[in-house]
Amino acid sequence: MELLEGLNDKQYEAVINTEGPVLVIAGAGSGKTKVLTHKIAYLMGEKHIMPWNILAITFTNKAANEMKQRVENLVGDATKDMWIGTFHSICVRILRRYIDRIGFDTSFAIFDTSDQKTMVKNCLKELNIDDKMFTDKSVMYEISNAKNEMLEPKAYAVKANGDYRKEKIATIYELYQKKLKENNAIDFDDIINFTIKILMENPDVLEYYTEKFKYVLVDEYQDTNKAQFTLVTLFASRHGNITVVGDNDQGIYSFRGADISNILNFEKDFPGTKIIKLEQNYRCTKNILNVANDIIKNNTKKYDKKLWTNNEEGIMPIVYKADDEYAEASYIVEQIYHLKTEEYYKYSDFAILYRMNSQSRSIEDILRREEIPYKIIGGLKFYERKEIKDIIAYLRLINNTKDNLSLRRIINEPKRGIGVTSLDKIAQIAEQNNISMYDVIKNAEDYGLNRVYSNSREFIKVMEELIAQKENLNISELIKQTLNKTGYTKALELENTQEAENRIENLEEFLTVAIEFEEQEAENTLSNFLEQMALTSDIDNMEDEQDSVTLMTLHSAKGLEFPVVFLVGMEEGIFPGYKSISEPKELEEERRLCYVGVTRAKQNLYLTCAKRRTMFGSTSYNLVSRFIKEISKDCLQGYEDVVDDKNMQDTFEDSKYKWQYGLDSNISKINYNKTENNKIAAGSINNSNFTFRSAESFLKNLENNKKQEIDISKYQAGQRVYHKKFGEGKINYIEEEGNDYKVDITFDKSGHKRLMARYAGLEII
């Protein structure tokens, strides 16, 4: 059969097993997307299943779009009648039809992270809760975790069981949900939970969708949380034909609520499961797979597998130990330079992966100095820029006048003379009369708000016109009219600055986004457009055409591949991190993360570490990562030099250190033809300035420190302090951070720093 040509034996088996529950354990680079797309095509071509009876779910828009395209290449236009999308996009389709069953209007808004933050701040203010003790970030994290566990406010309060902090958060959570409903809005976590609520409370809706979806396919199943597991189970509950594809060795998102037990317990949850393992890798060389297999075999696991490939042996991966983080960055740049000039790689072929975002600073310093183009995945997104959020807020208000948060954002963009006091008064009247803030402003005279009436008449007139036109105008034209009639673009033009010009250019780019949406989407309504804006992720927006080195965290690299990969900071306390070392479950996830990083590499793999590293204001020596030690010495170039290095204490004096790595702005670029192994001869410094510490000793000290109380009362915003390394500075603010406090300081000579109070050793001037 032509449809099944090109599949290996295990892929073939996974495709033709269509009835009942099927678990496909798909190793990295083993062609899991090929299995899913060919299975969909097989269901339609050989089993004669209608496209609308197939549901395929994945995690990102990028993956969903790729799946749609590949299925379309196999079966043609039938994909238009098929439900292929992310968990959130699938659920939004259902909510648009049935959310009125739980008391919302179908024109509901989806609040993003920024909106949630504002809402939480409003709740803290209304409840008179100290936002230093209960930061918006920590509260949002707790609420999201509760929703991932499908705990509503009252259930969360019960689970708090006398825990003062969690009981306070339960109160905030309850008010937060109340305010969301008042705004006719939901957040990202509500999208799935409310869909489950509708399905479970409305038998007719559940019957409709369980009958409709005769075959359910789920990608990246190891990354599902409790809510996603429940949703999938409901969809498959009638026919039981569910195929999930995942890899227990790539479960790395527990911090987002992912529960790896979902894939480990699949046989138990779905009796009669057929298990198929995809172990042939099509991405990596044999030598890279040897490294990956050596690392992951140290995890205890239920589904044991060993990746293999018919690819060439390839270049043996290299491990390198630098003197410090700048030497590490310099080595990476040297390798990029060599591979680009001698092996004809492009900059876009290189990826530098790290455990923490803070590790990128030294790498960026060297890349900038060497004028090497690079991009950071996970930086400021296009949709997080002020002007873009403003125009989206206008569109959301046009679509849903109950959206008080959007109104607050744009009522003075451009300036209209409606201040915070007036807005608070408007909000109070709106709550008392159970109406929206927009309705209060629209009828301001009736409520004695004469100044508001005077200042907002033009705004209301324009908004009413736009609301009346929204059904007749396409999205791009509506955006143009909004920018023009509200005076938003005019205000930027009058500002006449480079920043304002950049913002106008960004708004023009947003028009391009709208035009592309109109061309690609059959249902190009305002609601659908706003949904797409809300569901867009930064990974989906990677500019593939840009020739630049990619920097990102290991978590962001999941699902991607590059010809050349650098895994940096391979040290105990960095990777794996200190917090995970004493927790077997967390350590295994760190190891899975390392496995993911290694298997991103197609041809060249570099593992780098440093003898000493400065992070968070302190310098220390770290041992080589246990993950490197778990690799056979026959699998790595430089293994003995790194793991068996007897000269760890050889360093060099600070002045030469600065000279060698160009921290002085007058120093020229790297000389690529230095001494042997590209190292510069260096002196030594007094080692008493540094402390060697094992991970175990660090954890012991950390535990002891937890028992110590921090007298934070002596520090206050505006206070002048002295730090032995950074000199004198001024405290900007103080916030709680775990078992410590973070002190935000602007130093006179060293600039802006954030230090942990316990270790900073600050002296009040």
Side-chain angles (χ1 to χ4, degrees), residues 213-235:
F213 300 135
K214 291 181 169 60
Y215 292 86
V216 178
L217 300 92
V218 187
D219 192 14
E220 303 287 6
Y221 193 70
Q222 77 282 345
D223 294 333
T224 54
N225 58 32
K226 182 177 180 180
Q228 290 159 340
F229 162 77
T230 303
L231 182 74
V232 167
T233 303
L234 285 171
F235 283 146

PDB file of all heavy atoms in Angstrom, residues 213-235:
ATOM      1  N   PHE A 213     -16.226  11.999  18.231  1.00  0.00           N
ATOM      2  CA  PHE A 213     -14.813  11.627  18.167  1.00  0.00           C
ATOM      3  C   PHE A 213     -14.658  10.117  18.349  1.00  0.00           C
ATOM      4  O   PHE A 213     -14.464   9.624  19.459  1.00  0.00           O
ATOM      5  CB  PHE A 213     -14.015  12.378  19.224  1.00  0.00           C
ATOM      6  CG  PHE A 213     -14.073  13.876  19.075  1.00  0.00           C
ATOM      7  CD1 PHE A 213     -14.277  14.695  20.183  1.00  0.00           C
ATOM      8  CD2 PHE A 213     -13.942  14.473  17.840  1.00  0.00           C
ATOM      9  CE1 PHE A 213     -14.339  16.069  20.055  1.00  0.00           C
ATOM     10  CE2 PHE A 213     -14.002  15.854  17.694  1.00  0.00           C
ATOM     11  CZ  PHE A 213     -14.209  16.653  18.803  1.00  0.00           C
ATOM     12  N   LYS A 214     -14.741   9.408  17.224  1.00  0.00           N
ATOM     13  CA  LYS A 214     -14.624   7.947  17.277  1.00  0.00           C
ATOM     14  C   LYS A 214     -13.170   7.507  17.463  1.00  0.00           C
ATOM     15  O   LYS A 214     -12.898   6.421  17.976  1.00  0.00           O
ATOM     16  CB  LYS A 214     -15.205   7.338  16.002  1.00  0.00           C
ATOM     17  CG  LYS A 214     -16.727   7.469  15.890  1.00  0.00           C
ATOM     18  CD  LYS A 214     -17.240   6.834  14.607  1.00  0.00           C
ATOM     19  CE  LYS A 214     -18.758   6.715  14.617  1.00  0.00           C
ATOM     20  NZ  LYS A 214     -19.455   7.998  14.753  1.00  0.00           N
ATOM     21  N   TYR A 215     -12.231   8.375  17.040  1.00  0.00           N
ATOM     22  CA  TYR A 215     -10.807   8.071  17.188  1.00  0.00           C
ATOM     23  C   TYR A 215     -10.098   9.301  17.756  1.00  0.00           C
ATOM     24  O   TYR A 215     -10.218  10.395  17.209  1.00  0.00           O
ATOM     25  CB  TYR A 215     -10.191   7.671  15.848  1.00  0.00           C
ATOM     26  CG  TYR A 215     -10.714   6.351  15.337  1.00  0.00           C
ATOM     27  CD1 TYR A 215     -11.890   6.294  14.586  1.00  0.00           C
ATOM     28  CD2 TYR A 215     -10.059   5.154  15.633  1.00  0.00           C
ATOM     29  CE1 TYR A 215     -12.391   5.082  14.134  1.00  0.00           C
ATOM     30  CE2 TYR A 215     -10.549   3.939  15.185  1.00  0.00           C
ATOM     31  CZ  TYR A 215     -11.717   3.908  14.445  1.00  0.00           C
ATOM     32  OH  TYR A 215     -12.213   2.699  14.007  1.00  0.00           O
ATOM     33  N   VAL A 216      -9.389   9.090  18.832  1.00  0.00           N
ATOM     34  CA  VAL A 216      -8.684  10.178  19.521  1.00  0.00           C
ATOM     35  C   VAL A 216      -7.184   9.882  19.488  1.00  0.00           C
ATOM     36  O   VAL A 216      -6.756   8.790  19.869  1.00  0.00           O
ATOM     37  CB  VAL A 216      -9.166  10.323  20.981  1.00  0.00           C
ATOM     38  CG1 VAL A 216      -8.388  11.423  21.694  1.00  0.00           C
ATOM     39  CG2 VAL A 216     -10.664  10.607  21.028  1.00  0.00           C
ATOM     40  N   LEU A 217      -6.405  10.877  19.021  1.00  0.00           N
ATOM     41  CA  LEU A 217      -4.942  10.731  18.981  1.00  0.00           C
ATOM     42  C   LEU A 217      -4.324  11.892  19.754  1.00  0.00           C
ATOM     43  O   LEU A 217      -4.714  13.050  19.560  1.00  0.00           O
ATOM     44  CB  LEU A 217      -4.427  10.738  17.544  1.00  0.00           C
ATOM     45  CG  LEU A 217      -4.953   9.625  16.617  1.00  0.00           C
ATOM     46  CD1 LEU A 217      -6.194  10.110  15.870  1.00  0.00           C
ATOM     47  CD2 LEU A 217      -3.888   9.202  15.614  1.00  0.00           C
ATOM     48  N   VAL A 218      -3.364  11.586  20.622  1.00  0.00           N
ATOM     49  CA  VAL A 218      -2.745  12.606  21.469  1.00  0.00           C
ATOM     50  C   VAL A 218      -1.227  12.537  21.354  1.00  0.00           C
ATOM     51  O   VAL A 218      -0.634  11.466  21.524  1.00  0.00           O
ATOM     52  CB  VAL A 218      -3.150  12.442  22.952  1.00  0.00           C
ATOM     53  CG1 VAL A 218      -2.625  13.616  23.780  1.00  0.00           C
ATOM     54  CG2 VAL A 218      -4.662  12.317  23.101  1.00  0.00           C
ATOM     55  N   ASP A 219      -0.623  13.675  21.060  1.00  0.00           N
ATOM     56  CA  ASP A 219       0.830  13.777  20.941  1.00  0.00           C
ATOM     57  C   ASP A 219       1.426  14.242  22.271  1.00  0.00           C
ATOM     58  O   ASP A 219       0.743  14.888  23.079  1.00  0.00           O
ATOM     59  CB  ASP A 219       1.167  14.783  19.833  1.00  0.00           C
ATOM     60  CG  ASP A 219       2.636  14.742  19.436  1.00  0.00           C
ATOM     61  OD1 ASP A 219       3.330  13.789  19.808  1.00  0.00           O
ATOM     62  OD2 ASP A 219       3.076  15.681  18.742  1.00  0.00           O
ATOM     63  N   GLU A 220       2.703  13.931  22.494  1.00  0.00           N
ATOM     64  CA  GLU A 220       3.442  14.372  23.700  1.00  0.00           C
ATOM     65  C   GLU A 220       2.667  14.048  24.985  1.00  0.00           C
ATOM     66  O   GLU A 220       2.520  14.881  25.881  1.00  0.00           O
ATOM     67  CB  GLU A 220       3.741  15.877  23.621  1.00  0.00           C
ATOM     68  CG  GLU A 220       4.508  16.317  22.396  1.00  0.00           C
ATOM     69  CD  GLU A 220       5.974  15.918  22.423  1.00  0.00           C
ATOM     70  OE1 GLU A 220       6.384  15.194  23.341  1.00  0.00           O
ATOM     71  OE2 GLU A 220       6.705  16.339  21.504  1.00  0.00           O
ATOM     72  N   TYR A 221       2.200  12.820  25.093  1.00  0.00           N
ATOM     73  CA  TYR A 221       1.325  12.449  26.201  1.00  0.00           C
ATOM     74  C   TYR A 221       2.024  12.549  27.557  1.00  0.00           C
ATOM     75  O   TYR A 221       1.375  12.743  28.577  1.00  0.00           O
ATOM     76  CB  TYR A 221       0.790  11.028  25.987  1.00  0.00           C
ATOM     77  CG  TYR A 221      -0.348  10.664  26.905  1.00  0.00           C
ATOM     78  CD1 TYR A 221      -1.600  11.246  26.760  1.00  0.00           C
ATOM     79  CD2 TYR A 221      -0.176   9.731  27.923  1.00  0.00           C
ATOM     80  CE1 TYR A 221      -2.649  10.915  27.596  1.00  0.00           C
ATOM     81  CE2 TYR A 221      -1.216   9.386  28.763  1.00  0.00           C
ATOM     82  CZ  TYR A 221      -2.452   9.984  28.603  1.00  0.00           C
ATOM     83  OH  TYR A 221      -3.493   9.659  29.444  1.00  0.00           O
ATOM     84  N   GLN A 222       3.356  12.435  27.566  1.00  0.00           N
ATOM     85  CA  GLN A 222       4.088  12.526  28.834  1.00  0.00           C
ATOM     86  C   GLN A 222       3.979  13.922  29.453  1.00  0.00           C
ATOM     87  O   GLN A 222       4.269  14.102  30.632  1.00  0.00           O
ATOM     88  CB  GLN A 222       5.568  12.155  28.652  1.00  0.00           C
ATOM     89  CG  GLN A 222       6.455  13.219  28.014  1.00  0.00           C
ATOM     90  CD  GLN A 222       6.300  13.303  26.513  1.00  0.00           C
ATOM     91  OE1 GLN A 222       5.738  12.403  25.905  1.00  0.00           O
ATOM     92  NE2 GLN A 222       6.794  14.367  25.911  1.00  0.00           N
ATOM     93  N   ASP A 223       3.553  14.908  28.668  1.00  0.00           N
ATOM     94  CA  ASP A 223       3.471  16.282  29.160  1.00  0.00           C
ATOM     95  C   ASP A 223       2.075  16.669  29.643  1.00  0.00           C
ATOM     96  O   ASP A 223       1.839  17.823  30.007  1.00  0.00           O
ATOM     97  CB  ASP A 223       3.903  17.267  28.060  1.00  0.00           C
ATOM     98  CG  ASP A 223       5.374  17.121  27.702  1.00  0.00           C
ATOM     99  OD1 ASP A 223       6.154  16.693  28.576  1.00  0.00           O
ATOM    100  OD2 ASP A 223       5.742  17.423  26.548  1.00  0.00           O
ATOM    101  N   THR A 224       1.142  15.732  29.652  1.00  0.00           N
ATOM    102  CA  THR A 224      -0.225  16.057  30.080  1.00  0.00           C
ATOM    103  C   THR A 224      -0.313  16.197  31.594  1.00  0.00           C
ATOM    104  O   THR A 224       0.398  15.540  32.340  1.00  0.00           O
ATOM    105  CB  THR A 224      -1.223  14.983  29.619  1.00  0.00           C
ATOM    106  OG1 THR A 224      -0.773  13.697  30.070  1.00  0.00           O
ATOM    107  CG2 THR A 224      -1.354  14.969  28.110  1.00  0.00           C
ATOM    108  N   ASN A 225      -1.222  17.083  32.042  1.00  0.00           N
ATOM    109  CA  ASN A 225      -1.508  17.209  33.474  1.00  0.00           C
ATOM    110  C   ASN A 225      -2.831  16.519  33.794  1.00  0.00           C
ATOM    111  O   ASN A 225      -3.424  15.868  32.919  1.00  0.00           O
ATOM    112  CB  ASN A 225      -1.520  18.687  33.896  1.00  0.00           C
ATOM    113  CG  ASN A 225      -2.540  19.504  33.118  1.00  0.00           C
ATOM    114  OD1 ASN A 225      -3.590  19.020  32.717  1.00  0.00           O
ATOM    115  ND2 ASN A 225      -2.235  20.774  32.893  1.00  0.00           N
ATOM    116  N   LYS A 226      -3.295  16.667  35.005  1.00  0.00           N
ATOM    117  CA  LYS A 226      -4.512  15.967  35.430  1.00  0.00           C
ATOM    118  C   LYS A 226      -5.718  16.403  34.610  1.00  0.00           C
ATOM    119  O   LYS A 226      -6.539  15.576  34.198  1.00  0.00           O
ATOM    120  CB  LYS A 226      -4.763  16.226  36.917  1.00  0.00           C
ATOM    121  CG  LYS A 226      -5.981  15.498  37.469  1.00  0.00           C
ATOM    122  CD  LYS A 226      -6.145  15.730  38.963  1.00  0.00           C
ATOM    123  CE  LYS A 226      -7.376  14.987  39.486  1.00  0.00           C
ATOM    124  NZ  LYS A 226      -7.550  15.203  40.954  1.00  0.00           N
ATOM    125  N   ALA A 227      -5.833  17.719  34.374  1.00  0.00           N
ATOM    126  CA  ALA A 227      -6.978  18.230  33.621  1.00  0.00           C
ATOM    127  C   ALA A 227      -6.960  17.703  32.184  1.00  0.00           C
ATOM    128  O   ALA A 227      -7.993  17.287  31.645  1.00  0.00           O
ATOM    129  CB  ALA A 227      -6.972  19.759  33.633  1.00  0.00           C
ATOM    130  N   GLN A 228      -5.798  17.716  31.551  1.00  0.00           N
ATOM    131  CA  GLN A 228      -5.691  17.231  30.171  1.00  0.00           C
ATOM    132  C   GLN A 228      -5.962  15.734  30.091  1.00  0.00           C
ATOM    133  O   GLN A 228      -6.614  15.266  29.152  1.00  0.00           O
ATOM    134  CB  GLN A 228      -4.304  17.575  29.624  1.00  0.00           C
ATOM    135  CG  GLN A 228      -4.114  19.064  29.390  1.00  0.00           C
ATOM    136  CD  GLN A 228      -2.663  19.487  29.335  1.00  0.00           C
ATOM    137  OE1 GLN A 228      -1.777  18.774  29.813  1.00  0.00           O
ATOM    138  NE2 GLN A 228      -2.401  20.652  28.769  1.00  0.00           N
ATOM    139  N   PHE A 229      -5.477  14.991  31.074  1.00  0.00           N
ATOM    140  CA  PHE A 229      -5.758  13.555  31.150  1.00  0.00           C
ATOM    141  C   PHE A 229      -7.264  13.314  31.253  1.00  0.00           C
ATOM    142  O   PHE A 229      -7.828  12.458  30.559  1.00  0.00           O
ATOM    143  CB  PHE A 229      -5.042  12.937  32.352  1.00  0.00           C
ATOM    144  CG  PHE A 229      -5.592  11.605  32.776  1.00  0.00           C
ATOM    145  CD1 PHE A 229      -5.296  10.456  32.059  1.00  0.00           C
ATOM    146  CD2 PHE A 229      -6.420  11.503  33.884  1.00  0.00           C
ATOM    147  CE1 PHE A 229      -5.818   9.230  32.439  1.00  0.00           C
ATOM    148  CE2 PHE A 229      -6.948  10.281  34.272  1.00  0.00           C
ATOM    149  CZ  PHE A 229      -6.643   9.141  33.552  1.00  0.00           C
ATOM    150  N   THR A 230      -7.932  14.086  32.112  1.00  0.00           N
ATOM    151  CA  THR A 230      -9.379  13.927  32.295  1.00  0.00           C
ATOM    152  C   THR A 230     -10.126  14.233  31.009  1.00  0.00           C
ATOM    153  O   THR A 230     -11.061  13.519  30.623  1.00  0.00           O
ATOM    154  CB  THR A 230      -9.872  14.859  33.424  1.00  0.00           C
ATOM    155  OG1 THR A 230      -9.144  14.565  34.627  1.00  0.00           O
ATOM    156  CG2 THR A 230     -11.357  14.677  33.675  1.00  0.00           C
ATOM    157  N   LEU A 231      -9.726  15.299  30.324  1.00  0.00           N
ATOM    158  CA  LEU A 231     -10.375  15.691  29.077  1.00  0.00           C
ATOM    159  C   LEU A 231     -10.250  14.586  28.026  1.00  0.00           C
ATOM    160  O   LEU A 231     -11.244  14.208  27.388  1.00  0.00           O
ATOM    161  CB  LEU A 231      -9.744  16.985  28.555  1.00  0.00           C
ATOM    162  CG  LEU A 231     -10.344  17.549  27.272  1.00  0.00           C
ATOM    163  CD1 LEU A 231     -11.703  18.172  27.547  1.00  0.00           C
ATOM    164  CD2 LEU A 231      -9.417  18.596  26.655  1.00  0.00           C
ATOM    165  N   VAL A 232      -9.039  14.076  27.849  1.00  0.00           N
ATOM    166  CA  VAL A 232      -8.800  13.024  26.861  1.00  0.00           C
ATOM    167  C   VAL A 232      -9.611  11.776  27.189  1.00  0.00           C
ATOM    168  O   VAL A 232     -10.199  11.136  26.307  1.00  0.00           O
ATOM    169  CB  VAL A 232      -7.292  12.698  26.802  1.00  0.00           C
ATOM    170  CG1 VAL A 232      -7.042  11.418  26.027  1.00  0.00           C
ATOM    171  CG2 VAL A 232      -6.524  13.848  26.172  1.00  0.00           C
ATOM    172  N   THR A 233      -9.651  11.434  28.475  1.00  0.00           N
ATOM    173  CA  THR A 233     -10.398  10.257  28.909  1.00  0.00           C
ATOM    174  C   THR A 233     -11.886  10.410  28.601  1.00  0.00           C
ATOM    175  O   THR A 233     -12.543   9.462  28.161  1.00  0.00           O
ATOM    176  CB  THR A 233     -10.195  10.024  30.420  1.00  0.00           C
ATOM    177  OG1 THR A 233      -8.793   9.900  30.693  1.00  0.00           O
ATOM    178  CG2 THR A 233     -10.894   8.763  30.882  1.00  0.00           C
ATOM    179  N   LEU A 234     -12.423  11.613  28.825  1.00  0.00           N
ATOM    180  CA  LEU A 234     -13.833  11.871  28.513  1.00  0.00           C
ATOM    181  C   LEU A 234     -14.100  11.714  27.019  1.00  0.00           C
ATOM    182  O   LEU A 234     -15.075  11.069  26.614  1.00  0.00           O
ATOM    183  CB  LEU A 234     -14.229  13.284  28.973  1.00  0.00           C
ATOM    184  CG  LEU A 234     -14.418  13.491  30.473  1.00  0.00           C
ATOM    185  CD1 LEU A 234     -14.578  14.970  30.787  1.00  0.00           C
ATOM    186  CD2 LEU A 234     -15.634  12.708  30.978  1.00  0.00           C
ATOM    187  N   PHE A 235     -13.251  12.293  26.191  1.00  0.00           N
ATOM    188  CA  PHE A 235     -13.450  12.218  24.747  1.00  0.00           C
ATOM    189  C   PHE A 235     -13.453  10.766  24.251  1.00  0.00           C
ATOM    190  O   PHE A 235     -14.189  10.418  23.326  1.00  0.00           O
ATOM    191  CB  PHE A 235     -12.362  13.001  24.008  1.00  0.00           C
ATOM    192  CG  PHE A 235     -12.544  14.485  24.023  1.00  0.00           C
ATOM    193  CD1 PHE A 235     -11.447  15.337  24.062  1.00  0.00           C
ATOM    194  CD2 PHE A 235     -13.807  15.060  23.996  1.00  0.00           C
ATOM    195  CE1 PHE A 235     -11.602  16.715  24.060  1.00  0.00           C
ATOM    196  CE2 PHE A 235     -13.979  16.442  23.997  1.00  0.00           C
ATOM    197  CZ  PHE A 235     -12.867  17.273  24.040  1.00  0.00           C
TER     198      PHE A 235
END
